[in-house]
Amino acid sequence: MKTRKHLAAEKKRCGSHNCAQAILCTYADKVGIDEETARNIANSFGAGMGNMEGTCGALIGAGITLGMFTKDRAKSMKGMKQIMTLFQQRNGATQCKQLKGVGTKVVLRECPDCVADAAEFLEEQLNQE
């Protein structure tokens, strides 16, 4: 698969999508849904799970995409663990507010870059299928 990580990052960068939507919409065709459905599925994951209190929205989008692609719980969970591990290693966190520096004023990674990273690691998993 030709990488789509730059396309996903641009969807976030231009403000048309939240982080989860940027991922899921970029790979909607791979999971058999249209972009409008993908956008609606990921609506509530802007600013991460729970408005910055939980997991980065890009990772959530990657998890939804992976689960829909594999249609297999064990494969999805194993692949998502790998995505989370790689993301944590590269960025130092998986929680939105930590990535954005809320409370520390130290931004670990900007949202479009988080989206690109999540897309890169997702593609590695999709290519294994």
Side-chain angles (χ1 to χ4, degrees), residues 30-66:
K30 293 286 183 188
V31 300
I33 59 175
D34 61 85
E35 197 161 332
E36 180 180 358
T37 300
R39 185 185 293 268
N40 289 333
I41 289 169
N43 266 341
S44 61
F45 300 114
M49 177 92 56
N51 286 331
M52 298 184 119
E53 292 299 320
T55 303
C56 166
L59 289 169
I60 295 166
I64 294 168
T65 304
L66 184 61

Side-chain angles (χ1 to χ4, degrees), residues 80-122:
M80 194 62 213
K81 182 177 182 180
Q82 183 66 21
I83 291 169
M84 295 282 288
T85 298
L86 292 169
F87 191 94
Q88 172 75 36
Q89 289 172 348
R90 181 174 290 173
N91 298 304
T94 59
Q95 185 182 28
C96 184
K97 76 178 183 181
Q98 292 171 343
L99 291 161
K100 298 304 298 166
V102 174
T104 65
K105 297 189 184 344
V106 177
V107 176
L108 299 178
R109 197 80 160 146
E110 295 292 341
C111 291
D113 297 323
C114 287
V115 169
D117 292 343
E120 176 184 337
F121 303 140
L122 170 63

Side-chain angles (χ1 to χ4, degrees), residues 14-32:
C14 75
S16 63
H17 296 69
N18 70 36
C19 294
Q21 288 172 327
I23 295 288
L24 189 53
C25 288
T26 298
Y27 300 95
D29 64 314
K30 293 286 183 188
V31 300

